[in-house]
């Protein structure tokens, strides 16, 4: 259940670029994907992309998705071939959509969350999204280590995504306690089934 889904990652990157008129800043797209994974997890008990997140100075980063948004040697050949059907990496800051989004890879709830996140946060710049992310508990718990340069990145825990952010103007994260608790139970049960007790 929790294996990285490169097709969803590529299509999420494609979705946000498409909505930006075809070209998007990589950091902005990555932050929009983090917000989408966070929102979907808190409602339905699973992230959309199933990526591994790290806290970096500019905020949360889905590691494998970031690799697909740039040219490097970390993605597999199959992942790169699929990426190249839909995206063109322009430079280290931007990439573009070169083909319509294949929405068939997503569930209905995936698409609803992607649309909701873009509606609420699409007007933010990459730096505004980075600053916003610093108010979220999954990043704040690593802030001191990043600030003091004890490490360049820290692995994040999806369970921290269930904690509420300090910002109050993010309506997408105003779920009821009951809904969050149910989603958290679904998530932990699926992790236990997939990986055993942790």
């Amino acid at each position: 259940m929790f294996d990285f889904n490169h097709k969803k990652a590529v299509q999420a990157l494609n979705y946000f670029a498409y909505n930006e008129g075809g070209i998007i800043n990589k950091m902005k797209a990555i932050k929009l994907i983090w917000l989408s994974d966070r929102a979907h997890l808190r409602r339905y008990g699973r992230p959309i992309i199933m990526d591994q997140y790290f806290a970096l100075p500019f905020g949360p980063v889905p590691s494998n998705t970031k690799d697909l948004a740039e040219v490097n040697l970390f993605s597999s050949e199959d992942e790169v071939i699929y990426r190249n059907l839909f995206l063109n990496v322009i430079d280290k800051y931007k990439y573009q959509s070169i083909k319509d989004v294949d929405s068939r890879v997503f569930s209905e709830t995936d698409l609803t969350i992607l649309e909701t996140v873009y509606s609420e946060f699409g007007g933010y710049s990459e730096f505004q999204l980075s600053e916003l992310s610093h108010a979220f508990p999954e990043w704040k718990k690593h802030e001191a280590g990043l600030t003091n340069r004890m490490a360049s990145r820290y692995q994040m825990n999806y369970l921290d995504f269930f904690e509420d952010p300090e910002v109050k103007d993010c309506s997408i994260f105003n779920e009821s306690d009951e809904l969050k608790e149910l989603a958290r139970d679904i998530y932990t049960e699926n992790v236990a089934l997939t990986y055993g007790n942790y």
Side-chain angles (χ1 to χ4, degrees), residues 131-172:
E131 184 177 350
L132 176 72
S133 75
H134 292 174
F136 283 72
E138 60 265 34
W139 187 86
K140 284 196 76 66
K141 73 183 296 183
H142 304 294
E143 180 176 18
L146 290 167
T147 301
N148 296 324
R149 299 183 180 180
M150 296 170 64
S152 60
R153 67 179 194 169
Y154 290 90
Q155 187 168 349
M156 302 174 90
N157 188 331
Y158 273 122
L159 288 174
D160 294 327
F161 287 33
F162 289 100
E163 301 298 321
D164 292 329
E166 293 179 2
V167 290
K168 300 300 181 190
D169 58 347
C170 292
S171 61
I172 195 170

Side-chain angles (χ1 to χ4, degrees), residues 1 4 6 24 29 52 70 97 110 141 144 158 169 173 183 198:
M1 160 155 189
F4 172 61
H6 74 277
I24 191 170
Q52 186 176 31
E70 56 193 30
S97 169
D110 293 341
K141 73 183 296 183
Y158 273 122
D169 58 347
F173 299 119
Y198 67 102

Side-chain angles (χ1 to χ4, degrees), residues 38-53:
R38 187 179 210 278
H40 199 279
L41 179 66
R42 287 164 62 97
R43 284 171 177 75
Y44 304 107
R46 68 164 173 82
I48 296 172
I49 308 297
M50 313 281 188
D51 208 340
Q52 186 176 31
Y53 275 85

